[in-house]
Amino acid sequence: MEKGTEEESKQEKPAEVQLPRSVDSGDIVLFNRRCTSMTAYGAAICIVAKFFSNSKWDHVGIVVRDPDSKKLFFLEADLGGVKLRKLSDRVSKSKSHDIAVRRLSAMRTDEFRRQLWNFAQQMTGRPYETGTGLLQAAQAVFDPLTKQERERLHALLIEKKEQLTDIQRELDNAVLTTYQRRVLLAERTRVSRNVEVLSARLNEVIESERPVSTKRMRREDDLARVFCSELVAASYQRLKLLEPYPKADSYTPRDFCSDPAASLKLLDRNRLSRELYLRRDGTIVSDNSDGSRKNVETGQTPSKESLSVLRKVLKRSPIAYEIPDLYKRLEFLKSFRSVVVDPGDVIFEQGEYGNQLYILESGAVDRFITKDNGPPILVSSLGPHTSFGMTAFMYPTPRTSTIRATERSVLWTVDRPTFENYRDEREASQILSSAEQRQLRKTLEEHFLFRSLDRIGPSELNLFFKLKFRAGEEIFHQGDAHDNFYILSKGECERHISHPKSKGSSDDRQGEGSGSLAKTIFPGESFGELGLMYNSRRSATIRARTDVECWAINAEGFHRLHLGGGARYLQAVFQKNASVKRDGKLYATPEDFLKFANVDTFPEEDRERLSRLLISLVTSNRKADESDNGKVLIDFWEFVRFDIVLNQPNAEAEFGFRLADRNNSGFIDAEELMSLLNEYKDIDEEAGKMLSSFQFLSNLFGRDGSHAISYKEYCKLPLGSILPGQFRRDVHFLAEHMLYHLEPAVAHDEDESHDYVDVVNGYLYKTEGEQPKNTIKQHLDLLHLLAVGISGALARTFVAPLERLKILMQTDSLTGHKKFTNLWKGMKTMVQRETSLMGLFRGNAANVIRIVPTAIIQLSAVFLIREKLGYNDELRKQSVQSKEFKPSSGSTKIAIAGVSGLCAGIALYPLEFIRGRLSVQSASHCPYNGILHGLRSSIRQTGLLSVYRGLTPSLLGVFPYVGISYATYDQLRQFFPKLQDGSGLPTPTSAVICGSVGSLTAQTLAYPLDTCRRRMQVHGFLDGIGQQGDKGPRMAHVVREIYQTQGLLGFYRGVVPNALKVVPSTIIAYYMYDFVRTRLIIERSLWFKSEAGHGDETLTAFTAKSISETTDRSRL
């Protein structure tokens, strides 16, 4: 955390640190400092903070820009108090091992910078919070469960409030279809309920903490004394980037690192970037860019490749009309100059005077619009080969939006005076003539997107420009970045869509060729709106069938009119109902869409016919691919186009034409109409008469049937004169149903990954995907069991000599030699009695063999018991939804684990029995040649029950061991750092410490039972006096014998080597399991991961803790 740092700057001046050009007010700087170079007090805080926070960062400060001089300063709190120093000097003179900058995504306006500067002036000189420095470090350690829950609740609440704000903003500003508006209203209701539940639960937690918080040494909102992370948090709260709660003094430096689970949750969807290192591992980072186009620098002239990009972009802009001469236009392109910007750089701000046009060759930028003095709203993200700044460049108007780079980008720019030198005044006197403006206005007034505008006047019409394309020329290609919205004024265009092919399809054109013809576009119709409305790439290819003229409006003008929106939630609705995934995208089958459309409400006698018509409408009569089992796949954009057409005033007429135009040529020929009439002749008498009337058909298609009806001709004809009545009624029914009678599906329900809120052990969690059904097969995954076997075998083998020494010390008094009275003497004697080092590992094979069988039996038993008691995932989920779920208590978990341990102990006890006997053999006394030989010999000599000697103390020790180990582990983990993934589980170091202490405590307290077990196992074996049918001593006899001959200490013979093996066994098993799991690409198994290798009863004790762990983690 915050430690004495002034010593850092008193050494010789180190090499200069290079600051990124785009650093600005609000960015933070993180330090990983050498604790040993500080004062004793600072070093103590540094060491404690780093060790327990599970983060290398121990100090943080915030960048502040002087609004007058524009210089950058660094605001921080150290032992000397709050200081405001020149940023470049601070980072250059620092001796820190690592220094990194995190950029703030918020727009840095002049008002933003001034607010932060004023706050810095107020705080400078205030003393450091010395009274709670170590206390704050300890807070990273002693992290109570209520605090974890509070942080999770608060993060969820912020997310839901932001979601609610987004929904309301779209309802207020976006152009929405009827269905989109109904979806958003349903979403608003649902999210509002979530906010209420979360707020109530958060208040409960806060109230439960209040008695403790009132005992704090100082008020939480007192900034008279501050430490470093508190100062940064308070700065963000002053800027309204953080909510007032949690209080500023609850943050630590680790909360400002890039770990996704850090408790820092900024408002208004603001984010901090990843760490951008200035110094790493003690070495200065000279180039902290991402390497994009390193060969391009600011001020260069365009290369041949860049000229090609500029030519392509400008061809679809007003400049193509303003400079029609190709030679002059090429010279104009050579006037562009490069500009290289870094992430976070603002190219221009809304309201500024616009003198330059920009074309993006590589990288990415975001466009923000501020409306009614509200916060900036992200309206689109622009990728390579797009332009921005056109509106203010072409006309003397202020910038209509703010543009900010999101990654290192190469731009090409030209100013207006240069453009005026090449502009053809004769051609550019008026982009659209008066007649064209009247025609355009009439078209816009009937268009769905523009009906919401209060007026369509000259300022709106002037945003449009005219573009021309030759026959066969592509206007844009599927997958291109969006640039313009087009309305066709002359000619005809075709819309082609490439659909995904199934695996093994022989068609190699997937996404590459022209795709299938989906629609013919005629004058007055529009295209290209989806990319601008939904901030996405082109979903189709548009090609000119004839020479065409278009009216176009670029993305800037489109968003200036506040068009578009609703995509996020509509797309979520579609994805919820789609069941097929291809190339990373979701597609709906006809069955998916019909289920979504609720066709079960259709009249039963008409359902099949209406369903077939509905699918044909959505897919534009597209035929199914043979490799898709005869089914068409519907993508999101087909769904959206259908939804948009539904909202057009002539929707029913257009639907009728689409269904009749079966090849999407834009014309209805005689064959197509006769095919339609054939389908209806059996249910509609009128269709039969039309089909049999030569006069009817010849009037429409000519005597030879060669004429085809265009959409323009179709609209002029009375529908009753060309389409049968039942067909028209079907189309009307479908339109009415989809518009007004389709129930709005919420975007995310309880099964959706980003909204399901679960309550487990008093906590609220956000899940990551649909809740999987818990099955016994998942518990017995072979790869997982392999990892368990390998890691457990390595751990047990490593400590096998200590384990054997423990058994020899427990049973030494039975021989009367007393050669194993202490650790050193016992180890020396054990080595001397063997002829090789392998002798030290006697009995280890039996110990290793039983690892995997024990795991299988215990996991199966746990699953079956929990299933029987109703603790499976499905029942828990239903209980959570009904708010009646009561998590199992600690005693229930211990009982389940104990029973599973008993099952494994009984089933595999013969291996434990023979392990004890093999362990006490030596080179001079070796009656058994191995596991099988030992079992056979023992059964033959003393009967079958002999291999179960010592079972009674073994079973009696299960529940005490499980209970003590579980209780110790569960209590300790509350006071150790957690994984920063929102789960609340301990870090690897914490798990090893807690697991080792828990296991050692339980083994020590249950150790007398283990001593009795070992002596019962080897009775009559060491001295060779076992008799045929000898049942061995009872447990009471062994207890009495030990007490009379050795006293109480006799029960604890061998406890020292037993304690010595716990920690190394735990560490090896824990980390080797992770290593093997990573190599085999298998999922983490919580039941093994928390504590592996804890002595003989490892898996039994572990199962108890696992029930607690997996109850929490399985929901994630």
Side-chain angles (χ1 to χ4, degrees):
M1 290 169 59
E2 4 356 78
K3 312 29 175 184
T5 60
E6 297 183 359
E7 290 79 1
E8 292 181 359
S9 59
K10 294 180 181 179
Q11 308 296 329
E12 63 278 2
K13 185 177 180 179
E16 194 75 18
V17 174
Q18 180 182 353
L19 289 171
R21 293 180 301 168
S22 57
V23 171
D24 203 350
S25 288
D27 296 337
I28 65 170
V29 183
L30 291 159
F31 295 85
N32 170 23
R33 299 181 294 183
R34 297 180 176 90
C35 301
T36 55
S37 66
M38 303 178 187
T39 62
Y41 179 69
I45 300 177
C46 176
I47 293 171
V48 171
K50 284 188 175 183
F51 179 77
F52 288 105
S53 68
N54 194 32
S55 171
K56 67 180 180 180
W57 305 111
D58 63 283
H59 187 65
V60 64
I62 189 169
V63 178
V64 181
R65 184 185 291 275
D66 184 347
D68 298 323
S69 67
K70 308 300 182 184
K71 293 181 179 179
L72 293 174
F73 292 86
F74 186 63
L75 181 67
E76 65 176 334
D78 60 19
L79 285 178
V82 179
K83 298 187 176 101
L84 187 65
R85 296 185 265 200
K86 191 175 180 181
L87 178 62
S88 57
D89 292 343
R90 174 66 181 89
V91 298
S92 295
K93 294 178 181 178
S94 173
K95 297 291 185 179
S96 297
H97 196 61
D98 299 293
I99 306 175
V101 173
R102 295 192 70 193
R103 293 193 182 99
L104 179 67
S105 65
M107 297 296 302
R108 263 62 72 86
T109 62
D110 290 339
E111 179 62 24
F112 179 99
R113 298 185 183 100
R114 188 165 295 281
Q115 284 186 23
L116 186 54
W117 176 257
N118 292 338
F119 177 77
Q121 296 298 316
Q122 295 172 14
M123 295 301 299
T124 301
R126 296 194 182 185
Y128 176 73
E129 178 49 58
T130 56
T132 57
L134 282 172
L135 176 62
Q136 295 301 326
Q139 279 188 342
V141 183
F142 302 107
D143 193 12
L145 295 179
T146 52
K147 181 175 182 291
Q148 299 173 37
E149 182 182 9
R150 165 166 49 82
E151 291 177 355
R152 293 189 188 98
L153 284 168
H154 185 257
L156 271 175
L157 185 59
I158 290 178
E159 182 177 332
K160 293 300 175 186
K161 285 183 176 179
E162 289 178 346
Q163 189 177 347
L164 198 59
T165 301
D166 288 346
I167 292 173
Q168 191 59 50
R169 183 183 296 136
E170 292 208 27
L171 285 170
D172 293 339
N173 301 323
V175 178
L176 302 171
T177 66
T178 302
Y179 182 72
Q180 286 175 349
R181 183 166 295 276
R182 292 166 65 200
V183 167
L184 284 175
L185 289 172
E187 272 291 283
R188 185 177 64 179
T189 301
R190 186 190 61 80
V191 176
S192 296
R193 286 198 300 266
N194 280 350
V195 170
E196 292 175 3
V197 172
L198 289 168
S199 298
R201 180 60 183 146
L202 181 59
N203 289 333
E204 291 177 9
V205 175
I206 294 174
E207 287 298 324
S208 67
E209 290 182 307
R210 195 173 300 281
V212 178
S213 62
T214 56
K215 299 178 183 179
R216 291 283 299 276
M217 296 176 60
R218 63 189 183 96
R219 289 177 53 205
E220 289 182 316
D221 56 352
D222 182 10
L223 295 179
R225 293 173 175 270
V226 293
F227 50 95
C228 71
S229 51
E230 180 183 11
L231 179 63
V232 177
S235 302
Y236 279 176
Q237 288 175 341
R238 182 66 61 91
L239 296 168
K240 300 191 183 311
L241 294 173
L242 271 178
E243 285 197 348
Y245 186 86
K247 299 297 184 181
D249 66 350
S250 68
Y251 291 93
T252 62
R254 73 169 183 182
D255 293 323
F256 293 90
C257 70
S258 61
D259 193 294
S263 62
L264 187 72
K265 304 295 180 183
L266 300 181
L267 299 175
D268 295 327
R269 302 197 181 277
N270 287 301
R271 298 290 183 269
L272 288 169
S273 70
R274 61 175 177 81
E275 281 93 351
L276 184 65
Y277 282 87
L278 309 181
R279 181 183 295 152
R280 193 164 197 169
D281 298 330
T283 304
I284 292 177
V285 180
S286 58
D287 183 9
N288 42 39
S289 69
D290 60 3
S292 299
R293 294 296 302 272
K294 291 183 180 180
N295 58 326
V296 178
E297 298 178 357
T298 297
Q300 290 184 345
T301 57
S303 63
K304 184 177 180 180
E305 178 186 1
S306 299
L307 282 173
S308 176
V309 173
L310 297 177
R311 187 184 304 112
K312 177 182 177 182
V313 174
L314 292 184
K315 184 176 182 180
R316 289 161 177 78
S317 73
I319 292 178
Y321 193 84
E322 298 281 345
I323 310 177
D325 189 295
L326 293 178
Y327 298 104
K328 290 179 65 175
R329 196 186 305 168
L330 180 59
E331 290 300 317
F332 171 67
L333 295 179
K334 295 178 180 179
S335 303
F336 279 79
R337 294 295 180 266
S338 62
V339 176
V340 180
V341 294
D342 289 324
D345 284 353
V346 175
I347 291 89
F348 56 73
E349 294 186 4
Q350 185 174 339
E352 291 181 353
Y353 173 73
N355 186 46
Q356 290 181 302
L357 168 69
Y358 296 89
I359 294 178
L360 181 61
E361 181 178 3
S362 64
V365 299
D366 283 342
R367 173 180 284 120
F368 296 85
I369 288 181
T370 301
K371 185 179 180 182
D372 299 330
N373 297 321
I377 301 171
L378 175 65
V379 293
S380 64
S381 300
L382 305 179
H385 303 182
T386 55
S387 65
F388 54 90
M390 183 71 71
T391 303
F393 177 77
M394 294 291 295
Y395 309 101
T397 59
R399 297 291 190 188
T400 60
S401 61
T402 298
I403 302 293
R404 187 184 62 199
T406 57
E407 56 186 73
R408 187 172 174 86
S409 305
V410 175
L411 311 175
W412 294 96
T413 182
V414 68
D415 57 24
R416 185 184 292 121
T418 303
F419 168 65
E420 294 293 344
N421 290 336
Y422 291 93
R423 187 182 187 189
D424 192 327
E425 293 291 344
R426 294 171 300 175
E427 295 288 343
S429 59
Q430 189 175 10
I431 293 182
L432 297 180
S433 65
S434 298
E436 288 174 325
Q437 287 192 349
R438 287 193 297 271
Q439 184 182 357
L440 176 59
R441 180 185 289 108
K442 181 180 178 181
T443 303
L444 295 179
E445 288 172 346
E446 298 175 353
H447 195 280
F448 154 71
L449 283 174
F450 296 86
R451 290 204 303 265
S452 61
L453 298 180
D454 295 334
R455 63 186 294 272
I456 301 177
S459 60
E460 287 76 23
L461 295 175
N462 286 338
L463 295 174
F464 284 83
F465 51 92
K466 189 160 48 177
L467 294 175
K468 297 180 180 180
F469 299 93
R470 295 188 297 271
E473 186 176 0
E474 271 192 4
I475 299 176
F476 55 75
H477 190 80
Q478 185 172 344
D480 286 349
H482 63 264
D483 50 6
N484 300 327
F485 164 64
Y486 301 87
I487 297 178
L488 190 62
S489 59
K490 295 180 181 179
E492 298 175 5
C493 293
E494 297 176 347
R495 175 187 290 138
H496 295 263
I497 301 177
S498 294
H499 297 278
K501 301 296 181 183
S502 298
K503 294 180 180 180
S505 173
S506 59
D507 193 342
D508 296 330
R509 301 176 304 160
Q510 180 175 337
E512 298 293 336
S514 60
S516 59
L517 177 62
K519 189 181 188 308
T520 300
I521 302 171
F522 295 100
E525 297 183 315
S526 63
F527 55 92
E529 62 268 34
L530 297 185
L532 277 68
M533 289 175 65
Y534 298 142
N535 189 24
S536 64
R537 292 190 171 273
R538 297 300 191 186
S539 59
T541 297
I542 302 295
R543 182 178 295 109
R545 176 184 288 179
T546 64
D547 289 347
V548 300
E549 290 185 7
C550 300
W551 297 310
I553 181 173
N554 60 24
E556 276 185 68
F558 188 86
H559 291 297
R560 178 182 173 184
L561 299 178
H562 303 289
L563 306 175
R568 175 182 175 186
Y569 301 99
L570 192 65
Q571 192 159 21
V573 169
F574 177 82
Q575 290 175 349
K576 174 187 171 184
N577 290 276
S579 64
V580 176
K581 192 169 186 179
R582 295 275 172 81
D583 304 325
K585 297 180 181 179
L586 283 171
Y587 296 87
T589 64
E591 290 79 8
D592 295 334
F593 186 80
L594 292 175
K595 181 179 178 182
F596 158 76
N598 199 17
V599 297
D600 289 339
T601 61
F602 291 180
E604 186 174 355
E605 63 275 11
D606 302 328
R607 187 176 302 157
E608 183 179 353
R609 183 182 73 256
L610 292 172
S611 298
R612 187 173 61 251
L613 283 179
L614 183 58
I615 294 299
S616 296
L617 274 176
V618 175
T619 61
S620 299
N621 301 307
R622 180 160 51 89
K623 301 299 182 184
D625 187 80
E626 292 182 359
S627 57
D628 281 318
N629 298 321
K631 296 180 180 179
V632 293
L633 294 181
I634 304 169
D635 67 16
F636 172 65
W637 301 114
E638 288 178 307
F639 175 60
V640 171
R641 291 189 191 98
F642 172 74
D643 185 45
I644 290 177
V645 174
L646 266 177
N647 287 264
Q648 299 286 15
N650 61 339
E652 291 185 26
E654 182 166 346
F655 282 161
F657 185 85
R658 284 191 180 191
L659 289 170
D661 179 19
R662 304 200 165 187
N663 61 5
N664 298 317
S665 64
F667 297 89
I668 302 175
D669 58 28
E671 185 178 349
E672 288 173 326
L673 182 59
M674 292 173 67
S675 175
L676 175 65
L677 295 175
N678 262 314
E679 293 177 3
Y680 275 84
K681 68 179 181 179
D682 294 334
I683 59 174
D684 187 351
E685 185 178 346
E686 183 183 359
K689 292 179 180 180
M690 288 180 174
L691 185 62
S692 61
S693 173
F694 176 79
Q695 184 66 32
F696 167 77
L697 295 174
S698 61
N699 288 340
L700 292 175
F701 304 106
R703 297 187 65 83
D704 58 356
S706 60
H707 180 68
I709 303 173
S710 68
Y711 182 67
K712 187 174 182 180
E713 293 175 307
Y714 166 84
C715 292
K716 292 179 180 179
L717 292 171
L719 292 183
S721 65
I722 183 173
L723 299 176
Q726 184 59 51
F727 176 77
R728 300 196 307 272
R729 288 189 292 273
D730 286 350
V731 171
H732 175 75
F733 176 87
L734 291 174
E736 288 288 311
H737 174 80
M738 298 301 292
L739 263 179
Y740 304 114
H741 304 301
L742 181 62
E743 287 298 321
V746 294
H748 319 298
D749 63 8
E750 64 274 5
D751 291 325
E752 286 299 312
S753 62
H754 33 279
D755 191 63
Y756 183 67
V757 178
D758 191 10
V759 183
V760 178
N761 288 347
Y763 302 106
L764 272 75
Y765 295 89
K766 190 177 74 170
T767 62
E768 292 293 339
E770 186 176 351
Q771 306 307 307
K773 186 175 180 180
N774 204 7
T775 65
I776 197 168
K777 182 179 179 180
Q778 294 172 333
H779 285 253
L780 301 180
D781 179 71
L782 292 179
L783 291 178
H784 157 67
L785 293 174
L786 178 61
V788 170
I790 294 175
S791 56
L794 290 174
R796 293 190 179 191
T797 302
F798 184 81
V799 298
L802 288 173
E803 176 65 22
R804 185 184 176 217
L805 177 60
K806 180 199 78 168
I807 297 175
L808 289 171
M809 294 178 71
Q810 288 175 319
T811 60
D812 182 45
S813 62
L814 293 176
T815 63
H817 300 307
K818 296 185 179 181
K819 297 181 179 179
F820 298 92
T821 55
N822 57 60
L823 179 67
W824 174 249
K825 183 180 178 180
M827 183 63 72
K828 183 178 179 181
T829 303
M830 184 172 65
V831 172
Q832 290 175 348
R833 289 171 54 178
E834 302 297 339
T835 58
S836 67
L837 288 178
M838 292 300 296
L840 302 178
F841 295 86
R842 293 184 185 274
N844 184 57
N847 198 22
V848 169
I849 288 174
R850 64 191 184 93
I851 292 176
V852 173
T854 301
I856 294 174
I857 295 171
Q858 286 192 310
L859 283 176
S860 301
V862 168
F863 174 80
L864 294 174
I865 295 170
R866 291 182 63 188
E867 187 77 13
K868 190 70 175 178
L869 294 177
Y871 291 122
N872 56 66
D873 288 344
E874 184 176 355
L875 291 179
R876 287 213 318 271
K877 179 178 173 180
Q878 294 172 357
S879 301
V880 169
Q881 294 169 358
S882 62
K883 301 182 180 179
E884 297 176 354
F885 172 64
K886 301 294 183 183
S888 54
S889 63
S891 59
T892 303
K893 298 169 188 173
I894 293 173
I896 295 175
V899 172
S900 66
L902 291 175
C903 296
I906 295 172
L908 300 174
Y909 190 78
L911 284 175
E912 178 61 28
F913 166 81
I914 202 63
R915 178 170 82 97
R917 292 203 165 189
L918 291 174
S919 296
V920 298
Q921 291 188 151
S922 64
S924 59
H925 177 71
C926 189
Y928 294 162
N929 295 328
I931 297 173
L932 294 178
H933 178 258
L935 289 172
R936 285 197 301 266
S937 298
S938 180
I939 294 172
R940 184 171 56 251
Q941 183 178 6
T942 56
L944 179 63
L945 293 180
S946 65
V947 296
Y948 283 94
R949 287 180 181 177
L951 179 62
T952 300
S954 181
L955 297 182
L956 289 177
V958 169
F959 280 97
Y961 181 87
V962 170
I964 296 169
S965 181
Y966 170 80
T968 306
Y969 179 90
D970 206 45
Q971 289 298 315
L972 284 177
R973 70 171 185 164
Q974 299 182 39
F975 304 105
F976 278 81
K978 315 298 185 297
L979 289 173
Q980 296 181 359
D981 59 1
S983 66
L985 298 179
T987 62
T989 303
S990 302
V992 169
I993 295 174
C994 296
S996 298
V997 173
S999 180
L1000 180 59
T1001 302
Q1003 288 188 42
T1004 301
L1005 294 177
Y1007 194 79
L1009 291 171
D1010 184 63
T1011 300
C1012 294
R1013 174 179 60 175
R1014 295 302 177 198
R1015 294 174 71 92
M1016 293 174 70
Q1017 288 174 344
V1018 301
H1019 173 77
F1021 178 72
L1022 292 173
D1023 51 15
I1025 60 174
Q1027 301 294 326
Q1028 181 70 30
D1030 184 10
K1031 297 181 179 179
R1034 294 182 179 274
M1035 179 179 169
H1037 173 77
V1038 173
V1039 172
R1040 188 165 51 250
E1041 180 187 11
I1042 294 175
Y1043 182 75
Q1044 291 176 351
T1045 58
Q1046 304 176 59
L1048 290 177
L1049 293 180
F1051 291 100
Y1052 286 91
R1053 293 286 300 275
V1055 73
V1056 175
N1058 181 70
L1060 292 177
K1061 71 183 178 67
V1062 170
V1063 173
S1065 174
T1066 303
I1067 294 174
I1068 293 172
Y1070 188 100
Y1071 289 103
M1072 281 306 302
Y1073 177 84
D1074 248 3
F1075 176 79
V1076 176
R1077 176 183 59 82
T1078 303
R1079 286 288 183 261
L1080 296 176
I1081 320 175
I1082 62 177
E1083 297 179 354
R1084 173 181 299 182
S1085 174
L1086 295 173
W1087 76 267
F1088 187 83
K1089 178 129 174 88
S1090 297
E1091 182 191 332
H1094 293 170
D1096 295 342
E1097 294 83 358
T1098 298
L1099 297 176
T1100 303
F1102 192 73
T1103 305
K1105 288 183 286 297
S1106 74
I1107 297 174
S1108 172
E1109 299 285 309
T1110 50
T1111 299
D1112 292 349
R1113 197 66 175 274
S1114 65
R1115 312 306 296 175
L1116 301 173

